[in-house]
Amino acid sequence: MRRILLTAGAAALAVAAAAAPASAATVRTFGSVVEAESYDAQHGVRTFTDPAASAGRAVAFSPGDRLRLSAIDFGAPGQASGYATWRSCSTGPGTIDLRLDSPTATPFLTFTIGTTGNCTQWYQSSLRLGLATTPTGVHDLYITAAGTDRCDFYRLDSFQMIKQTSPPIP
């Protein structure tokens, strides 16, 4: 008898879980700091602990890795001016592509990582996205990595979409 009750209880729980509506992704509002480790999906990316990272954790990319951050608000036309602050470091050459809504979409920004670098500290920089390619509205952001076979060549702590006139933040 006890076994039947457990089975019936598990079945009821499964039905309740199946009936629950899917929740929409919480929009990461324009201007908010987005921690890289808050990704919604990833392929190959390594999350690691670093006390110097802004929330104590960050992600490391090797060639072929990618992550998805859902529901990023890039701002409205006129609000988004084509800048983002970016907190990262690199240990070797490669490229990082930013893509909207698909890991295979044409990148709206590609930045090239130099052949030398270190990750003894995090570096904050600003990226000019370009007025013609600055996304607006809410999109999924895919960050993809390509390059040599060097593991963990790029590390990302956080980023923030900002309205910036000139000059950009150093």
Side-chain angles (χ1 to χ4, degrees), residues 60-64 89-96 113-114 119 144-155:
F61 290 84
S62 296
C89 64
S90 65
T91 60
T95 60
I96 299 295
I113 312 306
C119 280
T144 62
T148 64
D149 60 353
R150 186 178 181 111
C151 288
D152 293 353
F153 76 94
Y154 184 73
R155 297 176 185 173

Side-chain angles (χ1 to χ4, degrees), residues 66-82:
R66 69 176 178 265
L67 61 80
R68 183 187 82 224
L69 295 152
S70 297
I72 301 291
D73 185 354
F74 287 90
Q79 179 184 26
S81 62

Side-chain angles (χ1 to χ4, degrees), residues 88-116:
S88 63
C89 64
S90 65
T91 60
T95 60
I96 299 295
D97 289 319
L98 305 184
R99 304 165 189 266
L100 294 182
D101 301 322
S102 168
T104 58
T106 302
F108 67 89
L109 178 72
T110 296
F111 53 100
T112 302
I113 312 306
T115 57
T116 61

Side-chain angles (χ1 to χ4, degrees), residues 1 14 44 52 56 59 67 82 111-112 138-139 155-156 159:
M1 183 68 131
V59 297
L67 61 80
F111 53 100
T112 302
V138 177
H139 297 275
R155 297 176 185 173
L156 177 61
F159 70 92

Side-chain angles (χ1 to χ4, degrees), residues 4-88:
I4 293 171
L5 290 175
L6 288 175
T7 304
L13 182 59
V15 169
S23 61
T26 301
V27 173
R28 294 168 168 113
T29 58
F30 181 80
S32 64
V33 174
V34 178
E35 296 292 335
E37 68 275 12
S38 71
Y39 57 78
D40 296 288
Q42 61 89 18
H43 173 78
V45 173
R46 181 176 67 88
T47 304
F48 64 97
T49 301
D50 183 340
S54 60
R57 296 179 57 79
V59 297
F61 290 84
S62 296
D65 291 354
R66 69 176 178 265
L67 61 80
R68 183 187 82 224
L69 295 152
S70 297
I72 301 291
D73 185 354
F74 287 90
Q79 179 184 26
S81 62
Y83 287 99
T85 61
W86 207 261
R87 195 163 188 256
S88 63

